[in-house]
Amino acid sequence: MISAQKIQSLVEAALPGSQVQAEDTTGTHDHFQMIVVSPAFEGKGMVERHRMIYAILGAAVGGAIHALSLKTLTPSEAEKRS
Amino acid sequence: MNPEVQKKITEDVKSHKIIMYIKGNKGMPMCGFSKRVMDIFEDLGANFETRDVLSDPEIREGVKEFTQWPTIPQIFINGEFIGGCDIVTDLYTSGELKKMVDAVK
């Protein structure tokens, strides 16, 4: 089992200077939503950005994490959305 | 990955304009995310091929290795990996997916 907090800290540690918000969407510790704002996404397409997150979380994705809905934004994209 | 499986996937994604690896099939989706993706493409009036990964464990693992993407469903347009349910939903909401589908009709 994994927690939203654990997922959040893993991504924050791997992407210094990023803002991460992870949330358990069903309360069953296996469906999560996460918003990651990071300059590391500059110039990268969606698939590449999501792959970066999957690489950080490793085998947990598709294992302890059954579903992970991701929003991956650069700081400027995040500003536009708020 | 088993070269036979890799070859089969490579040929499959090249020989269909839109193909998706899902859990279940058009008549009987076995996963909410697979169903949502099919609903989206049906809403766009797209013709698409499906492969049920539940009926072929080698393809289920092989496609994940092929795309370096750990989850199902996986969607290809014109042989290019587009993403899973999340990205397809975002592309659909932004109108980008309609352009991509219309371009291969």
Side-chain angles (χ1 to χ4, degrees):
Chain A
M1 209 161 68
I2 195 163
S3 70
Q5 190 46 44
K6 175 68 176 165
I7 293 170
Q8 190 164 316
S9 52
L10 282 170
V11 176
E12 280 167 345
L15 293 176
S18 62
Q19 282 119 38
V20 186
Q21 268 176 328
E23 196 193 311
D24 179 336
T25 54
T26 56
T28 53
H29 305 293
D30 56 2
H31 288 63
F32 297 94
Q33 185 169 346
M34 181 158 63
I35 300 169
V36 184
V37 179
S38 171
F41 295 142
E42 293 287 353
K44 292 194 168 67
M46 274 307 142
V47 171
E48 250 183 291
R49 294 180 186 190
H50 286 218
R51 277 202 183 110
M52 285 168 69
I53 302 299
Y54 286 144
I56 292 166
L57 298 175
V61 181
I65 300 170
H66 176 71
L68 177 59
S69 172
L70 285 172
K71 288 275 178 270
T72 50
L73 305 163
T74 61
S76 55
E77 287 164 353
E79 247 164 61
K80 264 185 234 143
R81 278 170 62 110
S82 55
Chain B
M1 183 204 329
N2 167 333
E4 272 316 304
V5 172
Q6 178 153 24
K7 189 164 159 271
K8 188 176 174 204
I9 295 173
T10 304
E11 276 158 18
D12 241 354
V13 302
K14 283 206 173 111
S15 54
H16 298 93
K17 288 180 177 164
I18 301 175
I19 185 169
M20 45 187 86
Y21 291 77
I22 61 168
K23 289 176 180 172
N25 53 56
K26 282 182 185 177
M28 170 83 90
M30 301 296 281
C31 146
F33 301 110
S34 292
K35 181 179 183 316
R36 186 192 299 171
V37 165
M38 287 197 284
D39 290 346
I40 282 173
F41 278 87
E42 267 148 24
D43 182 60
L44 293 174
N47 293 315
F48 57 90
E49 188 77 11
T50 63
R51 291 290 176 271
D52 179 8
V53 300
L54 297 178
S55 62
D56 190 336
E58 269 204 328
I59 290 287
R60 180 175 189 171
E61 290 317 313
V63 75
K64 290 178 188 174
E65 224 173 295
F66 186 79
T67 54
Q68 290 300 300
W69 191 265
T71 55
I72 299 291
Q74 298 196 12
I75 296 87
F76 294 78
I77 297 180
N78 265 346
E80 191 200 339
F81 175 59
I82 300 303
C85 182
D86 222 22
I87 290 177
V88 161
T89 304
D90 282 352
L91 290 170
Y92 174 63
T93 325
S94 71
E96 193 57 34
L97 191 62
K98 180 169 179 7
K99 287 183 206 147
M100 297 163 84
V101 166
D102 291 347
V104 296
K105 264 183 182 162

